[in-house]
């Protein structure tokens, strides 16, 4: 008989969304820490990859505000080493997608001074306003 894998705990919308976008069953992560120990970007991250998985499992919205989700370089080192066969790069990508779909501009153009608007190259303004939007 096939064991039914629970995609996300009930009423855990963020976890459900991460699983549905990434195709990864984040609840299967058993926090072994192999990803954190292997990740070449971990030293630069504010939370390590296994914490990213734990926060995703728990549906903690704070994970969307971390630097780590943007620093994952999709190098797949953790992917080939994960004993549960999880693809953390897809989870990080899903978290970025969720954040981008909130359509928040990184810069509020209405708060820029006339001097800034006149001095900044147009391309810099456009990229600053669009970098974090979907
Ligand atoms: S290596 Fe896999 S199972 Fe271990 S903490 Fe990382 S994601 Fe979870
Ligand atoms: S895929 Fe991302 S989280 Fe995994 S080892 Fe590479 S940079 Fe780290």
């Amino acid at each position: 008989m096939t064991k039914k894998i629970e995609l996300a705990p009930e009423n855990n919308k963020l976890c459900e969304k991460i699983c549905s976008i990434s195709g990864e069953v984040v609840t299967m992560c058993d926090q072994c820490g192999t990803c954190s120990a292997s990740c070449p970007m971990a030293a630069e991250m504010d939370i390590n990859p296994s914490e990213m998985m734990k926060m995703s499992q728990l549906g903690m919205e704070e994970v969307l505000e971390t630097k780590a989700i943007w620093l994952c370089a999709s190098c797949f080192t953790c992917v080939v080493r994960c004993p549960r066969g999880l693809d953390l790069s897809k989870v990080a990508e899903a978290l970025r997608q969720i954040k981008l779909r909130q359509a928040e501009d990184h810069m509020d153009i209405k708060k820029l001074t006339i001097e800034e608007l006149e001095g900044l190259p147009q391309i810099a303004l456009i990229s600053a306003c669009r970098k974090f939007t979907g």
Side-chain angles (χ1 to χ4, degrees):
M1 190 167 104
T2 322
K3 189 170 175 258
K4 186 173 175 280
I5 297 169
E6 195 185 4
L7 269 182
E10 220 178 325
N11 298 323
N12 187 337
K13 293 283 171 222
L14 180 60
C15 184
E16 204 178 292
K17 206 181 281 183
I18 295 164
C19 294
S20 121
I21 296 173
S22 69
E24 297 299 304
V25 185
V26 297
T27 46
M28 279 175 59
C29 168
D30 61 6
Q31 289 291 291
C32 70
T34 305
C35 49
S36 300
S38 316
C39 176
M41 296 303 291
E44 308 300 322
M45 292 177 174
D46 45 358
I47 56 164
N48 61 45
S50 49
E51 285 173 315
M52 194 190 297
M53 291 302 272
K54 189 70 196 171
M55 291 172 86
S56 300
Q57 286 177 337
L58 296 173
M60 294 171 70
E61 298 278 337
E62 298 91 318
V63 70
L64 300 173
E65 307 307 322
T66 62
K67 223 169 51 159
I69 65 172
W70 301 99
L71 287 176
C72 169
S74 299
C75 70
F76 305 125
T77 308
C78 62
V79 181
V80 294
R81 294 182 179 171
C82 175
R84 305 309 300 269
L86 291 164
D87 188 335
L88 210 148
S89 71
K90 285 187 183 165
V91 174
E93 172 64 15
L95 290 164
R96 292 193 293 269
Q97 284 295 324
I98 294 168
K99 183 68 186 163
L100 290 171
R101 288 174 195 179
Q102 291 174 348
E104 287 169 10
D105 274 330
H106 191 53
M107 179 188 281
D108 185 349
I109 204 153
K110 289 185 236 116
K111 289 188 182 152
L112 292 175
T113 63
I114 296 291
E115 292 73 34
E116 285 168 332
L117 283 171
E118 284 174 354
L120 286 167
Q122 205 171 29
I123 191 73
L125 282 171
I126 291 168
S127 70
C129 289
R130 291 288 164 242
K131 186 169 181 198
F132 296 116
T133 59

